[in-house]
Amino acid sequence: MFDIKFYDTVVSTNDTVRSLPACTLVWTDNQTAGRGQRGNSWESEPGANLTFSFTIAPSDLRMDRAFVISEAVSLAVSETLGEVGVEARIKWPNDIYVGDRKICGILIENSVRANGYVSLSVVGVGLNVNQRIFTGDAPNPVSLAQLTGADHDRRALLSSFCRRFESLYVMSEADSACYDAIHDRYMGALYRSDGLYPFREAGTYDKPGRLFYARIISVAPDGEITLEEAGGKRSGYYFKEVEFVL
């Protein structure tokens, strides 16, 4: 599916892949200004981790159902980790966690036509593989090497991811039944999906958001998560409107 290109060093794999044809995947040993969610930087020791970006051009995907791309990418990563004996979960919307520690970040940027259909998706993935010491301000990073006590072949992990994502992407392009099957797998892999956990609503610059306990009820096709508090109150949130409290 992908035309894979390797670069020793790039500023940002997301920025690099944008200038290349759709269905190109760029990976690198050293990303000097990688971006994470919420505008954060992504710490990655040169040559130690798996840092890559790719583009896809969906044939018939409305923006209000584009969350299926996030589901497919996060499932491909978590299931790739399962192949090497690491049980990973998906923290909504698409961070990958092992226990309460983050092993992978995913950033997806969609371009939308005037008719509301996705024209291009740029997907960036940063997977902690062989890095053993983290010096940044991220509170809870972990790597495969730390979890297993051994180094891992980054090319083999990338090959496994591509194989799994291609299968899921073909399903997402097929029909609604396949789309629903992907969504069911995503819901089954969600982090903290088994009870009440602390969340915090987005605040303002001078006032923190409300802290509350809730359970995950559902995730909509556009990515909206519905949470139910202990008293039965249900509320819907989009990305950046609520966060897990770790």
Side-chain angles (χ1 to χ4, degrees):
M1 176 178 178
F2 293 120
D3 177 17
I4 299 176
K5 298 182 181 297
F6 173 79
Y7 296 83
D8 289 330
T9 300
V10 298
V11 175
S12 162
T13 55
N14 266 32
D15 292 344
T16 301
V17 82
R18 284 182 182 277
S19 64
L20 301 172
C23 291
T24 299
L25 184 150
V26 167
W27 72 293
T28 185
D29 269 347
N30 185 24
Q31 184 176 226
T32 60
R35 299 195 307 279
Q37 293 177 348
R38 303 178 187 270
N40 298 325
S41 62
W42 178 259
E43 178 189 357
S44 183
E45 177 185 328
N49 300 318
L50 187 52
T51 305
F52 63 95
S53 296
F54 61 88
T55 53
I56 53 174
S59 61
D60 187 31
L61 181 62
R62 298 193 315 270
M63 188 59 195
D64 62 0
R65 295 182 69 86
F67 192 68
V68 69
I69 297 172
S70 182
E71 292 178 328
V73 175
S74 54
L75 281 169
V77 173
S78 63
E79 292 173 4
T80 293
L81 293 173
E83 283 189 358
V84 294
V86 172
E87 182 180 352
R89 309 291 289 178
I90 303 167
K91 184 169 81 68
W92 175 88
N94 54 24
D95 281 338
I96 309 300
Y97 269 53
V98 179
D100 290 325
R101 303 178 73 184
K102 182 175 177 178
I103 195 169
C104 179
I106 298 166
L107 177 65
I108 300 176
E109 300 170 314
N110 293 313
S111 298
V112 187
R113 302 186 186 96
N115 63 1
Y117 282 75
V118 176
S119 59
L120 187 75
S121 289
V122 181
V123 180
V125 178
L127 175 63
N128 297 330
V129 181
N130 296 323
Q131 184 168 344
R132 286 175 164 80
I133 298 174
F134 294 87
T135 60
D137 57 3
N140 57 344
V142 72
S143 71
L144 272 176
Q146 289 176 325
L147 291 166
T148 65
D151 283 352
H152 292 262
D153 185 328
R154 293 178 300 147
R155 286 182 180 272
L157 291 168
L158 180 61
S159 177
S160 177
F161 168 85
C162 290
R163 183 178 68 254
R164 289 181 174 279
F165 176 77
E166 181 175 359
S167 174
L168 288 160
Y169 183 65
V170 169
M171 287 176 63
S172 73
E173 293 264 280
D175 55 40
S176 59
C178 291
Y179 177 97
D180 291 342
I182 293 172
H183 183 66
D184 289 344
R185 282 166 65 178
Y186 173 86
M187 294 300 297
L190 275 182
Y191 169 76
R192 289 188 173 179
S193 62
D194 58 348
L196 291 168
Y197 290 95
F199 293 85
R200 187 180 297 278
E201 294 177 340
T204 61
Y205 72 95
D206 61 346
K207 183 179 180 181
R210 179 177 71 99
L211 176 67
F212 63 101
Y213 282 76
R215 61 173 50 88
I216 297 172
I217 297 299
S218 65
V219 178
D222 63 355
E224 182 185 33
I225 191 170
T226 297
L227 302 176
E228 182 182 73
E229 298 180 41
K233 176 185 176 182
R234 292 189 177 188
S235 303
Y237 300 92
Y238 288 100
F239 179 52
K240 297 186 179 181
E241 293 180 346
V242 72
E243 64 181 359
F244 290 79
V245 176
L246 300 176

